[in-house]
Amino acid sequence: MRKLAILILLCLGHLVAQGQQLLTPQGGFSQDTIHLGELVQYTLVHRHPDTLEVVLPAANYNFAPFELVDNTYYPTRTRNGISTDSAVYTLRTFEIDSVQQLALPVYLLRERDTVAYFAETSNIYLQQLVKEVREPLPIKADTELILIGEKFNWPLMLLWVTTILALSALIWLIFGQSIKRRYKLYRLRKDHLYYTSRFNSHKDRFQKSGVQSSLEKAVTLWKNYLTKLERSAINSFTTKEIVEFYNNDEEINTALRICDKAIYGNLQAEYEGETNLALGMLRRFSIQRYKLHRELIRNARDNA
């Protein structure tokens, strides 16, 4: 039924779209009658030139006298310059009017405003199941005992939660610094092993093939690792700034300038041996910085 309704509305929309006035959406219910609270589907289809930007009602739209239960939007389909937008809204109503109506809009987005175009009003009939209500309503008496389930012991639960939190706080107070220190050392070692593995891979690939991209990746990886290790934006520094950051270290100055010459001067073929030595210097320096930070974390335990 749902697919049939969509097909009918698409056909109607095609007829409307033959001219230039393509702004009248087609909408309708999937059935003629419903019961109170029963789910019903409303299909909305709109055809328009593909140059226009059109939006269908969203979940925050007021579907009164109906309530929105679910909505399904279908991808826009364009053919011969005509786009088709469609959606199916699953609705229900708890109003008791025998005839209920709905007309959904589509919104045309322009530069400075939004214009709403409504589909023709669709009617649906509410089928009454209760024909007659007698007054006063008869009340049925039931004096049998009802078994009530055991209540949850919230005070005991609160006591357990409080005890666990207190123990956790005590453990953290006593061993918190040691736990943090061990965790920092663990992360430091893990990051270093990951960096070393990737750096060696790029370095070996450059030594075997002389591919410039491997050299660039190795230098970039070196800068990113030191950025995280030193907690400073070294990967955005120039070579001169990096050398100054490390107090004009001669080894770093030499290694980075050799790599820059190979990368930007495209001279790696002529200076391949020199470039390999420069990569080794960068790796050795990063290992030294790793060991220095590791010792700083360990020494913090002795000073605490």
Side-chain angles (χ1 to χ4, degrees), residues 152-176:
F152 186 77
N153 193 339
W154 288 106
L156 181 60
M157 178 67 179
L158 181 60
L159 179 61
W160 274 107
V161 171
T162 304
T163 303
I164 293 173
L165 291 177
L167 288 175
S168 300
L170 182 61
I171 293 173
W172 182 257
L173 183 63
I174 299 175
F175 303 104

Side-chain angles (χ1 to χ4, degrees), residues 99-222:
V99 179
Q100 300 190 28
Q101 300 177 330
L102 182 65
L104 293 184
V106 297
Y107 298 99
L108 174 62
L109 304 182
R110 295 180 176 176
E111 293 182 358
R112 296 185 178 180
D113 60 352
T114 301
V115 181
Y117 293 88
F118 284 83
E120 294 184 3
T121 301
S122 298
N123 297 332
I124 193 167
Y125 299 92
L126 181 66
Q127 185 175 359
Q128 300 287 349
L129 298 179
V130 179
K131 302 298 183 180
E132 180 181 358
V133 178
R134 291 181 294 172
E135 295 290 351
L137 294 176
I139 300 177
K140 182 179 180 180
D142 189 353
T143 57
E144 295 182 2
L145 296 178
I146 300 177
L147 181 62
I148 300 178
E150 183 179 357
K151 292 185 178 181
F152 186 77
N153 193 339
W154 288 106
L156 181 60
M157 178 67 179
L158 181 60
L159 179 61
W160 274 107
V161 171
T162 304
T163 303
I164 293 173
L165 291 177
L167 288 175
S168 300
L170 182 61
I171 293 173
W172 182 257
L173 183 63
I174 299 175
F175 303 104
Q177 294 301 322
S178 177
I179 294 173
K180 289 172 62 176
R181 190 162 41 250
R182 290 179 181 273
Y183 178 74
K184 287 182 180 180
L185 289 171
Y186 164 76
R187 287 300 305 270
L188 187 70
R189 183 174 182 273
K190 181 180 179 181
D191 292 343
H192 182 72
L193 292 176
Y194 178 74
Y195 151 75
T196 303
S197 175
R198 293 187 60 194
F199 187 89
N200 290 338
S201 176
H202 294 316
K203 182 176 181 298
D204 294 342
R205 191 177 295 113
F206 175 74
Q207 289 177 343
K208 294 177 181 179
S209 62
V211 178
Q212 181 175 340
S213 61
S214 297
L215 174 61
E216 294 176 359
K217 290 178 180 179
V219 175
T220 300
L221 179 65
W222 181 84

